[in-house]
Amino acid sequence: MKKYLVFLILLTLTITGCHAMETFKDKNLDLINRELPEKWFMTIQENKLIFKCDKEIWVLMENRINAPINRETSEEREARIKQYGKKQTPQIVYRIENKWDKEKIEFVNKKNDKIWDKIDKLPDKHNIRELYNKFARSKRPAAFTSNTEDEKDRVKAYEEEKKKLEEILTKLPEYSSVKYSLFFESSIGMEDSFHIVAPHDISTETWGVKELIQNNLEQVE
């Protein structure tokens, strides 16, 4: 009888994978947990949902926007990242709350819409609409060009009031699972326009974990 029970346990682990040992009593999270790559694990610590990898990476901050073509070999690139970068642990972190219902999401959306409406009217309120520079949009969030002292004062007043209004916006969760609403907080290990990672395959793996999360949760709109 004991041999039979041991056989069943081993068979279950073989079929479902090493992540099946822990359950979060949440269909979405349990599915993600079972599909995580090797040496990745998922935990809930207080109000944080943490995806972490038991591997080491090196991350180097580097602005790659409009950067010239890099002629480095993959070996040279990895050596440079390890020399100048910081050793870290790949992870993706979400803050979690009890799942928001539709009524709460609608209430927050309406509240935020009223604030955005006020923000949209600020250029007229401060008489700077004609100073809008569409070509500066990608370089400067405010995208208003001022030349005279009066124009600079009006743009500054606009930016200060805009900032105050943005601070009272309520952040919506990005995703919902069966039990939780998830708010993205941070990530380490995903190569992007400002970070390069070695080994590169772990960056690809980390992006894959983020995609796994996205594909198995409900997006909040």
Coordinates of all heavy atoms in Angstrom, one line a residue, residues 144-178:
F144 N 5.1 72.3 -24.0 CA 4.8 73.8 -24.3 C 6.1 74.5 -24.3 O 7.0 74.4 -23.4 CB 3.9 74.3 -23.2 CG 2.5 73.7 -23.2 CD1 2.2 72.7 -22.4 CD2 1.6 74.3 -24.1 CE1 0.9 72.1 -22.5 CE2 0.3 73.7 -24.2 CZ 0.0 72.7 -23.4
T145 N 6.3 75.3 -25.3 CA 7.5 76.1 -25.5 C 7.3 77.6 -25.1 O 6.4 78.2 -25.6 CB 8.0 76.1 -27.0 OG1 8.2 74.8 -27.4 CG2 9.3 76.9 -27.1
S146 N 8.1 78.0 -24.1 CA 7.9 79.4 -23.6 C 9.2 80.2 -23.9 O 10.3 79.7 -23.8 CB 7.6 79.4 -22.1 OG 8.6 78.7 -21.4
N147 N 9.0 81.5 -24.3 CA 10.1 82.4 -24.6 C 10.2 83.6 -23.6 O 11.2 83.8 -23.1 CB 10.0 82.8 -26.0 CG 10.1 81.7 -27.0 OD1 11.1 80.9 -26.9 ND2 9.2 81.6 -27.9
T148 N 9.1 84.3 -23.5 CA 9.1 85.4 -22.6 C 8.9 85.0 -21.1 O 8.5 83.9 -20.8 CB 8.0 86.4 -23.0 OG1 6.7 85.8 -22.7 CG2 8.0 86.7 -24.4
E149 N 9.2 85.9 -20.2 CA 9.0 85.6 -18.8 C 7.6 85.4 -18.5 O 7.2 84.5 -17.6 CB 9.5 86.8 -17.9 CG 11.0 86.9 -17.9 CD 11.7 85.7 -17.4 OE1 11.3 85.1 -16.4 OE2 12.7 85.3 -18.0
D150 N 6.7 86.1 -19.1 CA 5.2 85.9 -18.9 C 4.8 84.5 -19.3 O 4.1 83.8 -18.6 CB 4.4 87.0 -19.6 CG 2.9 86.7 -19.5 OD1 2.4 86.8 -18.3 OD2 2.3 86.5 -20.5
E151 N 5.3 84.1 -20.5 CA 5.0 82.7 -21.0 C 5.5 81.7 -20.0 O 4.9 80.7 -19.7 CB 5.5 82.6 -22.4 CG 4.8 83.4 -23.4 CD 5.4 83.3 -24.8 OE1 6.6 82.8 -24.9 OE2 4.8 83.7 -25.8
K152 N 6.8 81.9 -19.5 CA 7.4 80.9 -18.6 C 6.6 80.8 -17.3 O 6.4 79.7 -16.8 CB 8.8 81.3 -18.3 CG 9.8 81.2 -19.5 CD 11.2 81.7 -19.2 CE 12.1 81.6 -20.4 NZ 13.4 82.1 -20.1
D153 N 6.1 81.9 -16.8 CA 5.3 81.9 -15.6 C 4.0 81.2 -15.8 O 3.5 80.4 -14.9 CB 5.0 83.3 -15.2 CG 6.2 84.1 -14.6 OD1 7.2 83.4 -14.3 OD2 6.2 85.3 -14.5
R154 N 3.3 81.4 -17.0 CA 2.1 80.7 -17.3 C 2.3 79.2 -17.4 O 1.5 78.4 -16.9 CB 1.4 81.3 -18.5 CG 0.7 82.6 -18.2 CD 0.0 83.1 -19.5 NE 0.9 83.8 -20.4 CZ 0.8 83.7 -21.7 NH1 -0.1 82.9 -22.3 NH2 1.6 84.3 -22.5
V155 N 3.3 78.8 -18.1 CA 3.6 77.4 -18.3 C 4.0 76.7 -16.9 O 3.5 75.6 -16.6 CB 4.8 77.2 -19.2 CG1 5.3 75.7 -19.2 CG2 4.4 77.5 -20.7
K156 N 4.7 77.4 -16.1 CA 5.0 76.9 -14.7 C 3.8 76.7 -13.9 O 3.6 75.7 -13.2 CB 6.0 77.9 -14.0 CG 6.4 77.4 -12.7 CD 7.4 78.3 -12.0 CE 7.8 77.8 -10.6 NZ 8.7 78.8 -9.9
A157 N 2.9 77.7 -14.0 CA 1.6 77.6 -13.2 C 0.8 76.4 -13.7 O 0.2 75.6 -12.9 CB 0.8 78.9 -13.3
Y158 N 0.8 76.2 -15.0 CA 0.1 75.1 -15.6 C 0.7 73.8 -15.1 O -0.1 72.8 -14.7 CB 0.2 75.2 -17.2 CG 0.0 73.8 -17.9 CD1 -1.3 73.3 -18.1 CD2 1.1 73.1 -18.3 CE1 -1.5 72.1 -18.7 CE2 0.9 71.8 -18.9 CZ -0.4 71.4 -19.1 OH -0.5 70.2 -19.7
E159 N 2.0 73.6 -15.2 CA 2.7 72.4 -14.8 C 2.4 72.1 -13.3 O 2.2 70.9 -12.9 CB 4.2 72.5 -15.1 CG 4.5 72.5 -16.6 CD 5.9 72.7 -16.8 OE1 6.7 73.2 -15.9 OE2 6.4 72.4 -18.0
E160 N 2.4 73.1 -12.5 CA 2.2 72.9 -11.0 C 0.8 72.4 -10.7 O 0.6 71.5 -9.9 CB 2.5 74.2 -10.3 CG 4.0 74.5 -10.2 CD 4.3 75.8 -9.5 OE1 3.3 76.6 -9.3 OE2 5.4 76.2 -9.2
E161 N -0.2 73.0 -11.4 CA -1.6 72.6 -11.2 C -1.8 71.2 -11.8 O -2.5 70.4 -11.2 CB -2.5 73.6 -11.8 CG -4.0 73.3 -11.4 CD -4.9 74.5 -11.7 OE1 -4.5 75.5 -12.2 OE2 -6.2 74.3 -11.5
K162 N -1.2 71.0 -12.9 CA -1.4 69.6 -13.6 C -0.8 68.5 -12.6 O -1.4 67.5 -12.5 CB -0.6 69.6 -14.9 CG -0.7 68.3 -15.7 CD -0.1 68.5 -17.0 CE -0.1 67.2 -17.8 NZ 1.0 66.3 -17.4
K163 N 0.3 68.8 -12.0 CA 1.0 67.8 -11.1 C 0.1 67.5 -9.9 O -0.1 66.4 -9.5 CB 2.3 68.4 -10.7 CG 3.1 67.4 -9.8 CD 4.4 67.9 -9.4 CE 5.2 67.0 -8.4 NZ 6.5 67.5 -8.0
K164 N -0.5 68.6 -9.4 CA -1.4 68.4 -8.2 C -2.6 67.6 -8.6 O -3.1 66.7 -7.8 CB -1.9 69.8 -7.7 CG -0.8 70.5 -6.9 CD -1.3 71.9 -6.5 CE -0.1 72.7 -5.8 NZ -0.6 74.0 -5.3
L165 N -3.2 67.8 -9.7 CA -4.4 67.0 -10.2 C -4.0 65.6 -10.4 O -4.7 64.6 -10.1 CB -5.0 67.7 -11.4 CG -5.7 69.0 -11.2 CD1 -6.1 69.6 -12.6 CD2 -7.0 68.7 -10.4
E166 N -2.8 65.4 -11.0 CA -2.4 64.0 -11.3 C -2.1 63.2 -10.1 O -2.3 62.0 -10.0 CB -1.1 64.0 -12.2 CG -1.3 64.5 -13.6 CD -0.1 64.6 -14.4 OE1 1.0 64.8 -13.8 OE2 -0.1 64.6 -15.7
E167 N -1.7 63.9 -9.0 CA -1.4 63.2 -7.7 C -2.7 62.7 -7.1 O -2.6 61.8 -6.2 CB -0.7 64.2 -6.8 CG 0.7 64.4 -7.2 CD 1.4 65.5 -6.3 OE1 0.7 66.2 -5.6 OE2 2.6 65.7 -6.4
I168 N -3.9 63.2 -7.4 CA -5.1 62.7 -6.8 C -5.8 61.7 -7.7 O -6.9 61.3 -7.3 CB -6.1 63.9 -6.4 CG1 -6.5 64.7 -7.6 CG2 -5.4 64.8 -5.4 CD1 -7.5 65.8 -7.3
L169 N -5.3 61.4 -8.8 CA -5.8 60.3 -9.6 C -5.7 59.0 -8.9 O -4.7 58.8 -8.2 CB -5.1 60.2 -11.0 CG -5.3 61.3 -12.0 CD1 -4.3 61.2 -13.1 CD2 -6.7 61.1 -12.6
T170 N -6.7 58.1 -9.0 CA -6.6 56.8 -8.3 C -6.1 55.8 -9.3 O -6.7 55.6 -10.4 CB -8.0 56.4 -7.8 OG1 -8.5 57.4 -6.9 CG2 -8.0 55.1 -7.1
K171 N -5.1 55.1 -8.9 CA -4.5 54.1 -9.8 C -5.4 52.9 -9.9 O -5.8 52.3 -8.9 CB -3.1 53.7 -9.3 CG -2.4 52.7 -10.3 CD -1.0 52.3 -9.8 CE -0.3 51.4 -10.7 NZ 1.0 51.0 -10.2
L172 N -5.7 52.5 -11.1 CA -6.5 51.3 -11.3 C -5.6 50.0 -11.4 O -4.4 50.1 -11.8 CB -7.2 51.3 -12.7 CG -8.5 52.2 -12.7 CD1 -8.8 52.5 -14.2 CD2 -9.7 51.6 -12.0
P173 N -6.1 48.9 -10.9 CA -5.3 47.7 -11.1 C -5.1 47.4 -12.6 O -5.9 47.7 -13.4 CB -6.1 46.6 -10.4 CG -7.5 47.1 -10.4 CD -7.4 48.6 -10.3
E174 N -4.0 46.7 -12.9 CA -3.8 46.3 -14.3 C -4.5 45.0 -14.6 O -5.1 44.8 -15.7 CB -2.3 46.1 -14.5 CG -1.5 47.3 -14.6 CD -0.1 47.1 -15.1 OE1 0.1 46.4 -16.1 OE2 0.8 47.6 -14.4
Y175 N -4.6 44.1 -13.6 CA -5.1 42.7 -13.9 C -6.0 42.3 -12.7 O -5.8 42.8 -11.6 CB -4.1 41.7 -14.1 CG -3.1 42.0 -15.3 CD1 -1.8 42.4 -15.1 CD2 -3.6 42.0 -16.6 CE1 -1.0 42.8 -16.1 CE2 -2.7 42.3 -17.7 CZ -1.4 42.7 -17.4 OH -0.6 43.0 -18.4
S176 N -6.8 41.3 -13.0 CA -7.6 40.7 -11.9 C -7.5 39.2 -12.0 O -7.5 38.6 -13.1 CB -9.1 41.0 -12.0 OG -9.3 42.4 -11.7
S177 N -7.3 38.5 -10.9 CA -7.4 37.0 -10.8 C -8.7 36.7 -10.2 O -9.6 37.6 -10.0 CB -6.2 36.5 -10.0 OG -6.3 36.9 -8.7
V178 N -8.9 35.5 -9.8 CA -10.2 35.1 -9.1 C -10.3 35.8 -7.8 O -11.4 36.3 -7.5 CB -10.2 33.6 -8.9 CG1 -11.4 33.2 -8.0 CG2 -10.2 32.8 -10.2

